[in-house]
Each structure stands twice: as structure tokens, then as C-alpha cells.
């Protein structure tokens, strides 16, 4: 065997043995950057043996260049550094202001000249914006951008500045900062959140963050939307946030930002002023007050540093429909960094956050008493150790945890019965939730650098383990007192006026609280090699993931008024796992530098991703996973809009959900998992070119192709008694919904003719109306995404900076004959237009804030932001974004008489769209030096400069009195004033 191959094999074996011997290792690079350098003589020849000292953030570090004249510093906190090179007989060179970014490798080359006498030279080189070792795509949001560009100052609003990401809401000066946004990234829903290497993804509500943040604690944010890095799991956007830390210099800041309705315009469209369902003054800010402070410095210089921060954000809104929505976000951070000896560093981090929200869900369809009050306290902590074993061998280990709680309480209280009027507007009360979501994680990695001839290798291996639980109680209000025919309210009851069972019959839902208690376990490992040879870099790797979970025991009380319909449940939980996802995901990437100065980079990558298992998916077959419903006919005899037992016809059952009405006390689920259920799968190809036009200014273009398959199918009906899985042959045409149908309402706003289906008589006779679902990988269904991103990045130099992009997106679905068990084209809980082959995929927003009529799909979008430093310490900054209007997906409710109610989508997702959306935000600020390195910055930001009033939501249900009326508009122009003291 050749020596090079033996060395390569030995390196892999060594790394693998160390990995297996240390199961608490963590994935490298999540909260750090690295520096790779070469030292050469005047002829360009490598200089070995050069003493290279790095200083800046943390303690100084020293390495000696190898025979190829190379050195590397890894596990670096992003920031500015200085590098000093010294070798006898040569000039000593100091390279100042070397920038290290989060998750990137900075590359520099320095030249030492022969000198017979001691001499020193200081240079301020310009590091290239191109990273030849990375094939990931996304965006790097630096400290300069975080502090100078006018934004609403939360991580979600920063996502709208990343190519290919679509948001479900428009956050104007903080008008949406009291709740999380739903987003898509290159065809994928949601993403993952990481803070200082800690998983912050809510594994009970996939795509959401487990907590909220103090914006001023961020040192830098990196967003990855694709690429070949094997340490990355899942195909969504990966939001990697790094908080600040203490250094050898005492530093800090305090700030206050204020928005007042005294500096806010109005922009309600004339159309909305006369409609029957009023939007009031639109989405208005009553007041936003953000303030806080952060500071850090040395406890023992070069050995021990401390940093801490406190922030508070008070957000008071007047939502559409003049409902009040008030939020308090409070956040405390502390970090202790230690370097007990030169080769070892320790990082201890703690965060306490809480959200107090009064009026969650405020909107036209929710009266004030049906909005909910929310608390979200969370404690997060981590301990991390990094060890430099030698100049070519590094490792990190991390243990972290989170204890989060999430509660929702309706403002109308838990004793009131909820009812829905003829306009589908809720009254009296709403649902409640108490959810605990703890998690524990261990992870780590090793990096080993070596050469085989002219080929350089950076070998990385990593391992991780995470455990989480979702423990939730969810239900509806009601007094539950014993009653007769003329007694008070029925317990756990929802009354509907022509809203749920059909458009002709009122009904009532008798309910039983849910009690989802499920766990999920995750194991992962990866190995990757970055091979460099002159201008060529090749990344190869593979990732392994194993995910599984099960439901845990739980007792839930039945409906106190109707125990015969919904009795107590003492659920024993799963005896064993119902399925396991185990996947190998290959990754490969290549970059090649072109040109004399290597300022053009051609790159390509392939990656396979698998979906993340959430506790919500585990709980799909939990009989307590969702509130149990049985819908009965209801006659409101006393016209009080409330359902009393004497008004409920228990002999006229319309349908049941999450319960078998023939055996409502059964502790087994009416639904089943396919035992061969496997994880959703995404295959991604990326091709791109980046070119550095000038020092500090680069442009690029990247094409992304994705193929999505293996979706978990949630609409496949199942009969638990016979084990029958319903197929398209069990359904037949029931009729066609058309805009020409006779109607007492105003004409439909769009022409359509959409068929809908029902169960055949034979299927009803053999199996009855379905009570459960069979969860399997969806047959005859896939999606494709094609997107092109054009980007430009200008690092801050010569008084200005800029970052911008334009994206074209094409996301479509392919539906075969068996792609829908019920061929009716229904409005789903996630993707609309489920049964239309070739239709654009439009992801429905079901997040907080009454966004259920938002379907995310824009074929084009752009964002550009920048800052220019004017004379006399004035700065001007701006951000301008635009996108195609989202689809306006109209639907009608149909009841074909088979016991299944269907919300039928009657238009393809590209037939009707809202107007295109644009927003321009600007800032003017003045920096006033006050002492030493201290300064006072005074700023004024104007958001929505044009005072645009683009309609964001309309009532999209047809044949209603409110059909097509405006539900939400873009928030109006508003000014924010701010002041910051920095030192």
C-alpha cells in the first residue's frame, strides 16, 4: 500500500477511535471561525519554521509554520485579530485587522523579506471575501450590519435579508416582533436555530425557535440555506447566532429604542373603510420600548473573562380589528470564558428568557376575549471545552440543556364556552395550553490536519446525542357542572353557526382535552474531508442520523357533562417504538479558483438531507395527542349562541376526530403508523460562481435544484377495525363547485369549476366513515424546486458597505394517480393545492398572529441594504425589499353527505395573487465621541417610507358575507428614535 494511502487510512482510523472513545464530542464550527495562512519569501517560496502569534479576542496563541509554510488557528471567536510573523534573518511582519467570521475560514498570505538587521513591517491586508473551503450558500450578517441597518431587531426579520427565504409577515419597526414568523427556504419549511452551538430549535413545533432573544447580544449571525457541509442536518434554513463575550479590553454598550404612535401615520385602504368586517386602523404600533445593556472584560487578563447582558422589549400593538396585543420580552445572558493553559479553553454560558404576551392571536376573526395570554419562560445553559492537542489536532466537547415552558390562557377565562358566529368569528373564550419542552444534548468533534504529497487534508469527525420531551395539555373552556335540559353551559363545548358541519346546519363539538406526552431521541455522526491542492478544493463527507420516539403514559379526564360521549382516558403509552428513522446522507462539494489573483471561484455541491422527527409527529397516533371532537347537530333554541344539552341532538352525529364514537374510551388510537415509515428526503444540487470585483466587493450567482420526496402523508384515511387503508377507488365524484352556482351572496371574485368527491356507498357500507389516519410515505407525490440567486457583498471600507440579492424561485409539485387518497383538492394544514399536478407549492402559515390566510410562494424577490459614512460622523443607512404578491387561495366548504367535511381549494395557487409588496426603511445617525473609546450614537429610523398599504390577507372562504374583504394590511409609516452609549 502506498505511504500516502496508509497515512490517510491511519488518520481516519485515529479520528474514528477518538470519536468513539469520547461520546460527548460536539460538532465543530457552529459558534467559531478559523484562520488559515501561508508565509512566503520574496520569490513566493514557502517559509517553514516561522513563529506566528495571533492576538485579539481572548489570549494570544502561537504556532510555527509547517514545511509548506502554513499555519492555522481554529476555534476562534469571530472578531478582529492581529498576526505577527518572526523568523531569524527576515523582517518581522505584523498583519493587522484580520477579520474572522462565524463559520468561515479566513485565508491570508504574508511575505517576509530577507534582512541583515532587525526590522519590523506593519501591513493592513485585505482578506478575500471568497472562502475557497466552503460550498455552503446563505448569508453572513456582521456586527456592522446588525447595528447600522434599520430593522425591527429580531432574528426573524433578519431572515428576510437572506436569498431564497420567504416570510409569512411584514415586520415594520417591531409590529410583529412579539411573535415568531413562519418562513420557507428554497422550498423547505422552517429551519433550525443555534445559539453558541446550543440547539434552540423547538422539537415540539418544528421550524420554530424554543425561545426569544436579546438582539444586542449578537456578535454575528450566519444563515446557511444549502451546501455540502456534513455537520448540517435537515434541509431548512440554519440560523446560527453567536453571542458576545468578554475580552482583555473592557467593553460594553447600553441602548434605548422607542416607537410611539405620535410618530405613526395611517394607511387604511379606502376599500377597507366601508367593508362589513372592519380592520380598524390596520396593524398599528401603540408603543415599542426597547432598552438594555451589555458589558464584558477580563477577570484575569489572558486567562479569565466575563460578559453579561440584560434586555427588555415592550411591544404594544393595535391589531387589525382594533384588538390589543401587548408583549414583554425579557432576556438575561451571562458568559464565562477561561483559558487555564495555552492549549485549552472553556466556555460556560447561561440564558434566561421569558415572554409575557397579552392578546396573542389578535385579529378580525378573534374577539378580544378569545385572544390568549402567553408565558414562555426558558432557562438555557452550556459547558464547552476546546483542546489543542497539537498544531494539527484539535477537538471540542459540549454539554447543554434547556428547560422551557409554554402556556396559553384565553382572556375570556376557562369557564366560558366558546362559540363561532355566522362570520366564523370566535367569542367568549378560546383554547388553553400548558406545554413543557425540556431537552439535553451532548456533542463534539475532532479536526485533524495532514498532508499527502501536495494534497492537504482537513479531516473532521463529529458525534451528537439529543433527548427531548413534549409534555402538553390542550383543550377548550367550559364550566363542567352537572346540568339538566335547562341547565347552564355544556362543558368543553364549541358551538358553530353555519361554520363547520356544513353551510346549512349549525353544530356543536363536544370535546375532551388532549394530553400529549411524547419523547424523541436523536443520534448523529459525520465525517468529512476538505482536500486542497493549489487552486482546487474538494469536500467529501457523509452524515448518519438515527431518530425515534414514543408516546408516554398520561391520564386525561373526560367531558364532565357528556361522559358517555367522551369518558376518562388512562393511556398506557407505547410499549415500544412504532418506527425508527435511520439514514446515511452523502455530501460532496468542489471549488476552483480562477485568475491570476484567484479572485473568481467556481463551485458545485451535492447533498442529501433527511427530515427531522418532532414529538408532534410521534404523537400523531396518540389518542390524547389532539383534543377529541364529536360533532352533533345543534339548534340554538334560546338564540344565546351557546350550546345547552337540550339543544344538542346526540342522535345526529356529523363526524368525529381523534376518537372512535363507537368506543370513545378506547386507549388505542384510531390511527396507525406504517411500520416502514421513513424520513422525508431532499436531494440538492448547487452550482455557482463568485467573483471579487475589487478588494472588499464580491458578486455571485448560484443555481439551486432540489427534489423532495418521501413526505409523511397525513391525509390517508384508515379503518382501525378492519385495517383498511382508503384509496382513490373508495371515492367517487360528488359534484362540481362553480362560481355560477346559485348563491345569495355577492358574486365570487374569481371564476372556477372544481370537482369534489365523496365515499362510495360500498365503502361506507363496508368500513363506515373514517375515524383515523394511516401515516405512511406519500405515494405518487414529489416536489421540485429550482432557484437562482444573484448576490453582491461590499465589506465596510472606504466609508460604505452593502449587501444585496435578487432571487427567482420555482417550486412545483408532481401528483400521480395515488397521490391523494381522497381526490378532492382540499386546503391542507401545510401545503395548499394538494391534488393538483404541476401546481405551484404554496406553504400555508399556521403560526401565531392570525396568518392562516397567508400562503408563501413568490417567484421573485429581492433585498438590498447598505450604509454610507457621511462627514461630521453622520451615517446614512437603508434597506429596500420587494417580492411578488403571495397567492390568494380561495376555498369553499363542501359536505357531500359521507360524514367528511372538506374545505375545497377552487383555484390553482397562481391564478390569483395579492399585489406585489415593497418596503423601504431608512436611518440617519450621528456618532458623538464622549470619552476615550466611548461614543454616543443618536439615530432616527423611518420604516415604510412610502407608507404603502399593500393588502396582506383577505377572507379567502367563498360564499360568506365577509368573502374577499380585507383582513390585514401592511403596517403604516412610523419613526423610531434610538440612543446608544458604547465603550
Amino acid at each position: 500500500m502506498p505511504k500516502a494511502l496508509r497515512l490517510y487510512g491511519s488518520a481516519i482510523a485515529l479520528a474514528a477511535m477518538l470519536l468513539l472513545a469520547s461520546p460527548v464530542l460536539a460538532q465543530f464550527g457552529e459558534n467559531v471561525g478559523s484562520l488559515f495562512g501561508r508565509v512566503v519569501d520574496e520569490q513566493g517560496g514557502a517559509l517553514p519554521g516561522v513563529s506566528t502569534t495571533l492576538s485579539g479576542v481572548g489570549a494570544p496563541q502561537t504556532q510555527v509554520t509547517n514545511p509548506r509554510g502554513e499555519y492555522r488557528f481554529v476555534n476562534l471567536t469571530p472578531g478582529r485579530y492581529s498576526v505577527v510573523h518572526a523568523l531569524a534573518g527576515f523582517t518581522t511582519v505584523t498583519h493587522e485587522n484580520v477579520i474572522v467570521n462565524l463559520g468561515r475560514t479566513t485565508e491570508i498570505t504574508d511575505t517576509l523579506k530577507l534582512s541583515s538587521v532587525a526590522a519590523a513591517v506593519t501591513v493592513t491586508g485585505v482578506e478575500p471575501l471568497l472562502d475557497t473551503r466552503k460550498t455552503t450558500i446563505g448569508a453572513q450578517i456582521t456586527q456592522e450590519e446588525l447595528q447600522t441597518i434599520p430593522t425591527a431587531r429580531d432574528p426573524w426579520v433578519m431572515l428576510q435579508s437572506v436569498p431564497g427565504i420567504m416570510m409569512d409577515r411584514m415586520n415594520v419597526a417591531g409590529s410583529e416582533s412579539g411573535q415568531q414568523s413562519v418562513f420557507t427556504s428554497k422550498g423547505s419549511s422552517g429551519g433550525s436555530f443555534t445559539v453558541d452551538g446550543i440547539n434552540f430549535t423547538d422539537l415540539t413545533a418544528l421550524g420554530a425557535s424554543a425561545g426569544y432573544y436579546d438582539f444586542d447580544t449578537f456578535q454575528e449571525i450566519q444563515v446557511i440555506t444549502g451546501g455540502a457541509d456534513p455537520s448540517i442536518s435537515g434541509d431548512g434554513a440554519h440560523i446560527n447566532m453567536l453571542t458576545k463575550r468578554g475580552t482583555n479590553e473592557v467593553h460594553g454598550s447600553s441602548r434605548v429604542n422607542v416607537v410611539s404612535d405620535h410618530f405613526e401615520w395611517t394607511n387604511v385602504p379606502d376599500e377597507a373603510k366601508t367593508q362589513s368586517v372592519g380592520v380598524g386602523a390596520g396593524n398599528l404600533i401603540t408603543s415599542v420600548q426597547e432598552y438594555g445593556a451589555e458589558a464584558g472584560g477580563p477577570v484575569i487578563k489572558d486567562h479569565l473573562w466575563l460578559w453579561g447582558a440584560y434586555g427588555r422589549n415592550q411591544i404594544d400593538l393595535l391589531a387589525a380589528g382594533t384588538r390589543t396585543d401587548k408583549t414583554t420580552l425579557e432576556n438575561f445572558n451571562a458568559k464565562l470564558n477561561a483559558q487555564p493553559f495555552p492549549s485549552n479553553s472553556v466556555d460556560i454560558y447561561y440564558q434566561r428568557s421569558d415572554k409575557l404576551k397579552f392578546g396573542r392571536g389578535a385579529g378580525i376573526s378573534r374577539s378580544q376575549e378569545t385572544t390568549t395570554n402567553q408565558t414562555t419562560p426558558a432557562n438555557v445553559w452550556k459547558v464547552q471545552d476546546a483542546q489543542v492537542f497539537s498544531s494539527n489536532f484539535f477537538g471540542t466537547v459540549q454539554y447543554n440543556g434547556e428547560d422551557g415552558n409554554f402556556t396559553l390562557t384565553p382572556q375570556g377565562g376557562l369557564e366560558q364556552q366558546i362559540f363561532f358566529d355566522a362570520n366564523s368569528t370566535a367569542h367568549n373564550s378560546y383554547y388553553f395550553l400548558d406545554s413543557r419542552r425540556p431537552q439535553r444534548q451532548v456533542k463534539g468533534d475532532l479536526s485533524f490536519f495532514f498532508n499527502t504529497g501536495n494534497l492537504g487534508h482537513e479531516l473532521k469527525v463529529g458525534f451528537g446525542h439529543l433527548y427531548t420531551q413534549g409534555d402538553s395539555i390542550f383543550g377548550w373552556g367550559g364550566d363542567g357542572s352537572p346540568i339538566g335540559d335547562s341547565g347552564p353551559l355544556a362543558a368543553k363545548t364549541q358551538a358553530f353557526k353555519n361554520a363547520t358541519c356544513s353551510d346549512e346546519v349549525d353544530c356543536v363539538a363536544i370535546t375532551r382535552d388532549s394530553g400529549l406526552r411524547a419523547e424523541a431521541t436523536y443520534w448523529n455522526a459525520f465525517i468529512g474531508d476538505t482536500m486542497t491542492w493549489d487552486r482546487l478544493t474538494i469536500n467529501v463527507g457523509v452524515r448518519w442520523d438515527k431518530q425515534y420516539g414514543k408516546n408516554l403514559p398520561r391520564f386525561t379526564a373526560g367531558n364532565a357533562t357528556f361522559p358517555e360521549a367522551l369518558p376518562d382516558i388512562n393511556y398506557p403509552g407505547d410499549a415500544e417504538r412504532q418506527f425508527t428513522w435511520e439514514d446515511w446522507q452523502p455530501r460532496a462539494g468542489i471549488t476552483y479558483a480562477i485568475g491570476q489573483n484567484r479572485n473568481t471561484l467556481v463551485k458545485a455541491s451535492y447533498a442529501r438531507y433527511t427530515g427531522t422527527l418532532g414529538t408532534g409527529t410521534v404523537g400523531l397516533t396518540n389518542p390524547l395527542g389532539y383534543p377529541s371532537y364529536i360533532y352533533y347537530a345543534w339548534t340554538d333554541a334560546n338564540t344565546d349562541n351557546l350550546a345547552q344539552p337540550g339543544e344538542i341532538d346526540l342522535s345526529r352525529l356529523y363526524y368525529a376526530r381523534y376518537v372512535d364514537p363507537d368506543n370513545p374510551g378506547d386507549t388505542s388510537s384510531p390511527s396507525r403508523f406504517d411500520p416502514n415509515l421513513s424520513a422525508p428526503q431532499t436531494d440538492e444540487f448547487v452550482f455557482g460562481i463568485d467573483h471579487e470585483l475589487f478588494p472588499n466587493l464580491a458578486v455571485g450567482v448560484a443555481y439551486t435544484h432540489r427534489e423532495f420526496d418521501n413526505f409523511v402523508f397525513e391525509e390517508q384515511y384508515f379503518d382501525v377495525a378492519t385495517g383498511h387503508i382508503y384509496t382513490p377507488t373508495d371515492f367517487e365524484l360528488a359534484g362540481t363547485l362553480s362560481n355560477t352556482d346559485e348563491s345569495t351572496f355577492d358574486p365570487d371574485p374569481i371564476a372556477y369549476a372544481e370537482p369534489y368527491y365523496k365515499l362510495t356507498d360500498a365503502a361506507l357500507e363496508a368500513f363506515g366513515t373514517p375515524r383515523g389516519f394511516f401515516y405512511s410515505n406519500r405515494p405518487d407525490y414529489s416536489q421540485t424546486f429550482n432557484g437562482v440567486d444573484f448576490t453582491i457583498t461590499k465589506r465596510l471600507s472606504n466609508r460604505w458597505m452593502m449587501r444585496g440579492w435578487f432571487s427567482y424561485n420555482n417550486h412545483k409539485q408532481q401528483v400521480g394517480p395515488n397521490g391523494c387518497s381522497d381526490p378532492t383538492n382540499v386546503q391542507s394544514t401545510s401545503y395548499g393545492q394538494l391534488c393538483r399536478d404541476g401546481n405551484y407549492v404554496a406553504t400555508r402559515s399556521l403560526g401565531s398572529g392570525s396568518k392562516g390566510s397567508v400562503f408563501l410562494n413568490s417567484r421573485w424577490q429581492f433585498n438590498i441594504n447598505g450604509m454610507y459614512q457621511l462627514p461630521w460622523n453622520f451615517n446614512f443607512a437603508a434597506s429596500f425589499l420587494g417580492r411578488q404578491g403571495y397567492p390568494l387561495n380561495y376555498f369553499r366548504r363542501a359536505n357531500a353527505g359521507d360524514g367528511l367535511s372538506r374545505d375545497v381549494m377552487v383555484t390553482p395557487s397562481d391564478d390569483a395573487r395579492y399585489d406585489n409588496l415593497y418596503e423601504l426603511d431608512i436611518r440617519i445617525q450621528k456618532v458623538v465621541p464622549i470619552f476615550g473609546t466611548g461614543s454616543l450614537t443618536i439615530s432616527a429610523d423611518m420604516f415604510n417610507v412610502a407608507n404603502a398599504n399593500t393588502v396582506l390577507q383577505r377572507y379567502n372562504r367563498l360564499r360568506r358575507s365577509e368573502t374577499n374583504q380585507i383582513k390585514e394590511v401592511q403596517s403604516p409609516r412610523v419613526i423610531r428614535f434610538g440612543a446608544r452609549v458604547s465603550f
Side-chain angles (χ1 to χ4, degrees):
M1 180 183 295
K3 181 178 180 181
L5 290 179
R6 290 199 305 270
L7 179 59
Y8 188 67
S10 299
I12 294 177
L14 173 62
M17 286 187 293
L18 288 169
L19 175 66
L20 294 175
S22 305
V24 290
L25 297 173
Q27 284 152 252
F28 180 78
E30 286 181 330
N31 58 336
V32 294
S34 60
L35 172 65
F36 175 82
R38 295 183 69 239
V39 183
V40 299
D41 59 22
E42 293 176 86
Q43 288 72 43
L47 280 179
V50 178
S51 176
T52 299
T53 301
L54 178 76
S55 59
V57 182
Q61 304 179 49
T62 300
Q63 288 191 17
V64 176
T65 59
N66 64 19
R68 291 161 48 123
E70 299 170 341
Y71 64 92
R72 59 185 58 83
F73 295 97
V74 300
N75 201 45
L76 297 178
T77 300
R80 293 182 180 270
Y81 291 83
S82 294
V83 182
V84 178
H85 306 292
L87 180 65
F90 289 81
T91 55
T92 297
V93 172
T94 300
H95 191 141
E96 294 185 337
N97 291 320
V98 177
I99 300 173
V100 174
N101 289 123
L102 180 64
R104 293 173 58 92
T105 299
T106 299
E107 298 187 40
I108 61 175
T109 299
D110 289 309
T111 302
L112 271 60
K113 298 180 180 181
L114 285 168
S115 177
S116 57
V117 296
V121 175
T122 299
V123 299
T124 303
V126 179
E127 314 86 68
L129 284 168
L130 310 182
D131 185 350
T132 62
R133 295 169 179 262
K134 292 289 185 183
T135 55
T136 54
I137 55 176
Q140 207 81 22
I141 306 173
T142 64
Q143 177 68 197
E144 289 88 356
E145 184 175 337
L146 291 171
Q147 294 299 339
T148 62
I149 302 300
T151 72
R153 293 176 56 83
D154 72 30
W156 291 273
V157 81
M158 302 309 298
L159 292 179
Q160 70 187 20
S161 72
V162 179
I165 293 184
M166 303 179 196
M167 311 301 294
D168 74 332
R169 62 199 69 198
M170 190 65 226
N171 191 337
V172 179
S175 62
E176 296 282 358
S177 291
Q179 50 207 5
Q180 300 186 26
S181 302
V182 172
F183 57 93
T184 64
S185 171
K186 299 191 180 300
S188 301
S189 297
S192 62
F193 295 81
T194 304
V195 178
D196 281 22
I198 305 168
N199 174 62
F200 246 74
T201 308
D202 189 341
L203 295 168
T204 297
L206 290 179
S209 168
Y212 291 80
Y213 309 92
D214 177 355
F215 192 78
D216 250 39
T217 64
F218 297 140
Q219 174 67 28
E220 193 169 334
I221 298 176
Q222 179 192 41
V223 182
I224 297 174
T225 57
D229 188 341
S231 70
I232 293 175
S233 67
D235 59 357
H238 304 275
I239 302 96
N240 185 14
M241 295 165 278
L242 176 70
T243 60
K244 299 173 182 177
R245 54 158 287 176
T247 66
N248 280 334
E249 301 295 329
V250 177
H251 62 87
S253 66
S254 61
R255 87 282 182 181
V256 59
N257 294 287
V258 176
V259 181
S260 169
D261 57 0
H262 295 296
F263 296 92
E264 184 174 30
W265 283 252
T266 60
N267 65 346
V268 178
D270 291 338
E271 175 191 353
K273 295 177 181 177
T274 59
Q275 67 185 33
S276 61
V277 181
V279 299
N283 295 331
L284 291 177
I285 293 175
T286 304
S287 174
V288 174
Q289 300 177 27
E290 182 206 359
Y291 54 85
E294 55 86 21
V299 178
I300 303 175
K301 187 176 181 180
D302 289 343
H303 291 286
L304 189 64
W305 305 267
L306 182 64
W307 170 84
Y310 172 78
R312 190 178 189 275
N313 197 353
Q314 182 65 44
I315 306 162
D316 296 343
L317 309 175
L318 193 65
T322 65
R323 322 295 194 216
T324 60
D325 181 336
K326 299 183 179 183
T327 305
T328 302
L329 301 177
E330 197 168 31
N331 200 289
F332 172 78
N333 285 261
K335 185 183 294 185
L336 183 69
N337 293 89
Q339 190 158 349
F341 43 91
S343 64
N344 186 267
S345 60
V346 177
D347 182 357
I348 300 174
Y349 174 71
Y350 172 77
Q351 182 191 114
R352 165 72 181 187
S353 64
D354 199 3
K355 170 182 175 180
L356 301 174
K357 189 173 188 68
F358 304 93
R360 178 185 168 105
I364 295 175
S365 61
R366 298 272 295 274
S367 56
Q368 188 67 50
E369 70 271 15
T370 68
T371 64
T372 53
N373 297 337
Q374 174 185 352
T375 65
T376 315
N379 293 294
V380 180
W381 47 266
K382 81 159 185 180
V383 178
Q384 177 175 299
D385 185 82
Q387 176 65 41
V388 178
F389 300 101
S390 72
S391 61
N392 295 318
F393 188 23
F394 309 87
T396 62
V397 56
Q398 183 185 128
Y399 177 55
N400 65 63
E402 178 192 353
D403 293 302
N405 194 12
F406 186 101
T407 69
L408 295 174
T409 305
Q411 290 193 2
L414 299 179
E415 292 73 34
Q416 296 294 315
Q417 177 193 133
I418 182 175
F419 75 90
F420 294 85
D421 64 22
N423 292 322
S424 303
T425 299
H427 297 275
N428 271 7
S429 184
Y430 216 66
Y431 59 70
F432 69 89
L433 171 69
D434 189 342
S435 180
R436 292 169 174 79
R437 305 169 182 182
Q439 69 176 31
R440 298 291 183 268
Q441 183 180 34
V442 292
K443 58 180 187 172
D445 60 58
L446 298 170
S447 294
F448 184 44
F449 301 88
F450 61 97
N451 300 318
T452 56
N454 292 324
L455 195 64
H457 298 268
E458 181 180 351
L459 187 68
K460 292 183 181 179
V461 292
F463 174 88
H465 170 67
L466 188 148
Y467 173 83
T468 187
Q469 275 193 22
D471 189 346
S472 303
I473 298 176
F474 177 92
W476 304 87
D479 64 10
S481 60
I483 54 179
D485 288 348
S486 60
L489 305 181
K492 309 294 184 186
T493 301
Q494 304 169 64
F496 300 91
K497 297 283 288 184
N498 296 329
T500 294
C501 293
S502 72
D503 285 340
E504 292 77 30
V505 179
D506 296 338
C507 66
V508 66
I510 306 298
T511 73
R512 177 174 57 202
D513 295 347
S514 74
L516 176 63
R517 186 166 174 254
E519 65 178 13
T521 301
Y522 309 83
W523 300 88
N524 70 77
F526 69 88
I527 182 168
D529 189 9
T530 300
M531 296 173 282
T532 56
W533 181 38
D534 194 22
R535 299 171 180 266
L536 179 69
T537 301
I538 299 174
N539 295 273
V540 293
V542 65
R543 179 182 177 86
W544 168 80
D545 281 281
K546 186 175 183 179
Q547 309 174 74
Y548 53 85
K550 66 178 183 178
N551 294 293
L552 302 175
R554 165 62 63 79
F555 172 82
T556 296
N559 188 294
T561 307
F562 297 99
E564 70 281 9
L566 290 170
D568 296 347
I569 289 287
N570 192 4
Y571 176 55
D574 293 335
E576 57 185 18
R577 309 171 198 163
Q578 299 186 59
F579 62 87
T580 297
W581 290 352
E582 187 168 4
D583 300 276
W584 293 88
Q585 303 146 71
R587 311 281 170 89
I590 185 171
T591 66
Y592 188 79
I594 302 173
Q596 181 179 358
N597 297 323
R598 306 188 180 195
N599 58 353
T600 300
L601 191 65
V602 180
K603 59 186 180 183
S605 67
Y606 164 75
R608 171 168 289 181
Y609 302 100
T610 57
T612 301
L613 177 66
T615 58
T617 302
V618 175
L620 288 173
T621 57
N622 189 324
L624 303 178
Y626 297 89
S628 300
Y629 298 84
I630 304 181
Y631 290 83
Y632 295 102
W634 167 52
T635 301
D636 189 10
N638 58 6
T639 65
D640 63 355
N641 292 312
L642 303 177
Q644 283 86 33
E647 301 173 342
I648 301 171
D649 187 350
L650 296 179
S651 68
R652 294 177 62 191
L653 182 149
Y654 278 93
Y655 63 96
R657 194 72 183 258
Y658 307 115
V659 63
D660 180 357
D662 297 327
N663 189 11
D666 188 5
T667 58
S668 64
S669 172
S671 299
R672 294 288 185 272
F673 279 116
D674 183 342
N676 297 316
L677 182 71
S678 56
Q681 180 175 293
T682 302
D683 288 292
E684 176 196 81
F685 300 86
V686 177
F687 306 92
I689 300 175
D690 294 321
H691 176 66
E692 197 165 39
L693 282 172
F694 308 105
N696 290 316
L697 193 155
V699 295
V701 58
Y703 164 69
T704 301
H705 173 78
R706 285 184 163 186
E707 297 180 0
F708 304 88
D709 203 357
N710 240 30
F711 290 85
V712 177
F713 195 12
E714 299 186 17
E715 299 296 335
Q716 196 164 353
Y717 296 110
F718 178 70
D719 178 54
V720 68
T722 63
H724 177 70
I725 302 169
Y726 291 74
T727 68
T729 61
D730 293 311
F731 295 84
E732 63 183 3
L733 182 67
T736 299
L737 300 176
S738 171
N739 62 300
T740 60
D741 294 345
E742 184 178 341
S743 174
T744 59
F745 295 98
D746 292 337
D748 293 321
I750 193 168
Y752 60 89
E754 182 67 27
Y756 65 102
Y757 297 80
K758 66 177 181 179
L759 286 164
T760 65
D761 291 340
L764 285 170
E765 183 177 351
F767 312 112
T769 300
R771 305 300 183 195
F773 296 94
F774 185 75
Y775 297 101
S776 63
N777 295 116
R778 188 172 187 179
D780 280 355
Y781 184 86
S782 62
Q783 296 178 7
T784 57
F785 174 86
N786 291 282
V788 180
D789 301 326
F790 301 91
T791 59
I792 182 169
T793 304
K794 169 65 169 63
R795 185 184 285 153
L796 180 59
S797 64
N798 300 323
R799 306 180 70 88
W800 68 286
M801 69 177 189
M802 180 179 65
R803 187 170 63 84
W805 54 271
F806 175 89
S807 291
Y808 173 80
N809 313 287
N810 187 309
H811 187 193
K812 290 190 174 183
Q813 65 181 17
Q814 297 77 44
V815 187
N818 297 306
C820 295
S821 57
D822 179 348
T824 306
N825 192 43
V826 298
Q827 174 179 258
S828 79
T829 56
S830 54
Y831 290 107
Q833 311 296 320
L834 284 184
C835 295
R836 286 185 183 269
D837 183 45
N839 200 83
Y840 284 97
V841 177
T843 302
R844 185 183 180 193
S845 171
L846 293 174
S848 60
S850 299
K851 307 297 180 183
S853 298
V854 176
F855 291 80
L856 287 74
N857 177 286
S858 288
R859 284 175 294 180
W860 59 265
Q861 55 189 122
F862 67 84
N863 178 255
I864 186 166
N865 66 61
M867 184 269 289
Y868 187 81
Q869 296 174 330
L870 299 166
W872 303 298
N873 289 328
F874 280 96
N875 298 327
F876 176 79
S879 174
F880 182 45
L881 67 87
R883 62 161 172 80
Q884 183 186 31
Y886 287 154
L888 208 176
N889 283 336
Y890 291 104
F891 74 94
R892 278 178 62 180
R893 182 158 294 156
N895 192 323
D898 59 356
L900 298 175
S901 180
R902 298 166 176 87
D903 287 344
V904 184
M905 305 293 288
V906 299
T907 57
S909 62
D910 207 40
D911 273 17
R913 286 182 177 268
Y914 295 101
D915 291 339
N916 299 335
L917 175 70
Y918 300 95
E919 175 151 324
L920 172 65
D921 305 326
I922 61 174
R923 163 178 290 187
I924 186 73
Q925 66 179 31
K926 166 70 173 177
V927 181
V928 182
I930 51 177
F931 57 84
T933 59
S935 62
L936 168 66
T937 301
I938 303 172
S939 62
D941 303 326
M942 178 179 286
F943 295 88
N944 191 5
V945 172
N947 201 28
N949 60 356
T950 307
V951 175
L952 302 180
Q953 290 190 85
R954 290 181 180 270
Y955 282 95
N956 59 329
R957 181 178 172 183
L958 301 177
R959 304 299 171 95
R960 310 290 294 174
S961 60
E962 72 276 13
T963 294
N964 210 44
Q965 295 190 22
I966 294 174
K967 191 176 180 180
E968 182 186 8
V969 298
Q970 185 176 354
S971 295
R973 179 192 300 132
V974 66
I975 296 177
R976 179 177 68 196
F977 298 98
R980 173 185 301 274
V981 175
S982 304
F983 59 92

